């Protein structure tokens, strides 16, 4: 087993202190309640950390112009995935879907016709995120899309600590320049899972991909991470 220490953004080391500050600044309502609930200490061991796997499907890749159309959540720990606690939402976008994105996520206009707008379910999503460290595969998608959604809904950003399975795998697979031969190692979710002999699932459904990320993190923990280490050694 190779233990890894992740590169971290120093400004986001003390999420607990940041939450206290944001609780004072955030407008009244669900976002303020989310921050007021606080965050676990940075010295909490990985094995005791409350985790929530999350995945989004969107109309495109630009969080400023594209929209979230589905979101899946699954609570988990380092050795259990609580599928009975899974949640799934669909959200009707304000603009028409792009044909290219429909080809990927296979969510159609008809399926979204009766879905609520994201604004009307964001409070409920925030309640599910309270005091959770979020597990994603590619932090720049999930965190940025939810930040933009929060700015539009509340006029204030949503931040949350993340374990990014893509970034973990990138560091696990990193090789010095003199050992880099052939094609770069793929960091796609399915490719990462195959390295741990995990089952193959149909991709691009938010709840299935949340489960995929949860299983991948458990494998990464088993092979490469220290359960007794502070969560601050790993979160972003």
């Amino acid at each position: 087993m190779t233990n890894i220490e992740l590169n971290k953004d120093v400004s986001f080391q003390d999420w607990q202190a940041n939450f206290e500050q944001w609780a004072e600044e955030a407008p009244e309502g669900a976002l303020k309640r989310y921050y007021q609930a606080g965050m676990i200490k940075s010295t909490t061991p990985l094995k005791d950390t409350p985790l929530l796997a999350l995945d989004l499907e969107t109309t495109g890749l630009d969080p400023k112009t594209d929209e979230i159309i589905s979101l899946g959540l699954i609570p988990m720990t380092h050795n259990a995935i609580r599928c009975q606690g899974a949640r799934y939402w669909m959200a009707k976008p304000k603009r028409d879907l792009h044909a290219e994105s429909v080809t990927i996520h296979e969510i159609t206009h008809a399926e979204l016709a009766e879905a609520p707008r994201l604004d009307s379910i964001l409070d409920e999503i925030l309640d599910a995120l309270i005091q959770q460290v979020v597990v994603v595969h590619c932090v720049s998608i999930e965190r940025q899309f939810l930040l933009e959604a929060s700015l539009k809904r509340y006029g204030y950003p949503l931040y949350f600590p993340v374990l990014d399975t893509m970034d973990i795998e990138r560091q696990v697979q990193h090789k010095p320049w003199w050992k880099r031969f052939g094609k770069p190692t793929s960091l796609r979710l399915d490719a990462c899972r195959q390295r741990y002999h995990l089952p193959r699932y149909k991709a691009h459904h938010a709840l299935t991909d949340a489960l995929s990320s949860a299983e991948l993190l458990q494998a990464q923990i088993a092979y490469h991470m220290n359960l007794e280490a502070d969560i601050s050694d790993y979160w972003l």
Side-chain angles (χ1 to χ4, degrees):
M1 181 176 80
T2 304
N3 284 342
I4 58 169
E5 285 191 14
L6 305 186
N7 296 322
K8 295 159 286 187
D9 180 345
V10 174
S11 67
F12 273 9
Q13 282 295 303
D14 193 347
W15 282 96
Q16 192 175 48
N18 287 339
F19 267 52
E20 291 173 3
Q21 176 186 336
W22 297 327
E24 294 180 3
E25 299 173 353
E28 292 296 330
L31 188 59
K32 181 177 279 290
R33 292 195 303 272
Y34 167 73
Y35 286 132
Q36 285 175 332
M39 183 45 63
I40 62 170
K41 294 181 179 179
S42 59
T43 53
T44 302
L46 173 60
K47 65 182 175 66
D48 296 329
T49 298
L51 301 170
L52 187 70
L54 179 152
D55 189 78
L56 308 174
E57 294 300 325
T58 65
T59 59
L61 296 177
D62 187 342
K64 292 192 177 298
T65 58
D66 292 308
E67 301 174 72
I68 296 168
I69 55 173
S70 69
L71 186 148
L73 299 173
I74 302 181
M76 63 174 293
T77 66
H78 70 92
N79 62 0
I81 297 173
R82 301 193 178 101
C83 291
Q84 73 276 14
R87 305 287 302 278
Y88 179 71
W89 295 268
M90 298 180 78
K92 184 177 181 179
K94 295 176 181 176
R95 302 179 190 83
D96 289 341
L97 298 175
H98 305 304
E100 296 86 352
S101 67
V102 172
T103 301
I104 295 171
H105 53 63
E106 299 183 351
I107 298 174
T108 65
H109 291 91
E111 290 177 279
L112 294 172
E114 301 302 320
R117 298 289 188 189
L118 182 62
D119 284 357
S120 68
I121 59 175
L122 202 51
D123 286 8
E124 192 177 354
I125 293 169
L126 280 179
D127 287 344
L129 293 178
I130 285 175
Q131 293 185 331
Q132 302 293 306
V133 175
V134 177
V135 177
V136 302
H137 192 77
C138 190
V139 63
S140 62
I141 297 294
E142 275 75 11
R143 186 183 271 165
Q144 287 304 120
F145 268 91
L146 285 169
L147 184 149
E148 289 294 332
S150 180
L151 286 171
K152 292 170 184 173
R153 171 70 174 84
Y154 308 113
Y156 194 86
L158 167 63
Y159 298 114
F160 47 84
V162 163
L163 294 183
D164 182 1
T165 54
M166 176 182 282
D167 191 62
I168 292 169
E169 196 66 15
R170 178 185 62 79
Q171 297 196 48
V172 167
Q173 299 298 326
H174 175 75
K175 296 177 182 177
W177 64 267
W178 60 89
K179 291 185 178 180
R180 296 176 195 168
F181 303 104
K183 287 173 55 177
T185 301
S186 173
L187 295 177
R188 291 184 302 105
L189 180 55
D190 181 64
C192 293
R193 287 173 57 84
Q194 290 310 297
R195 283 192 282 273
Y196 299 93
H197 307 290
L198 293 169
R200 305 192 80 166
Y201 300 142
K202 183 175 173 60
H204 302 299
H205 183 285
L207 195 54
T208 304
D209 284 354
L211 175 63
S212 294
S213 297
E215 291 177 344
L216 175 57
L217 178 65
Q218 288 183 335
Q220 291 170 327
I221 289 173
Y223 281 92
H224 307 297
M225 299 165 75
N226 179 2
L227 283 171
E228 302 297 331
D230 294 349
I231 188 60
S232 61
D233 286 349
Y234 299 117
W235 68 12
L236 301 173

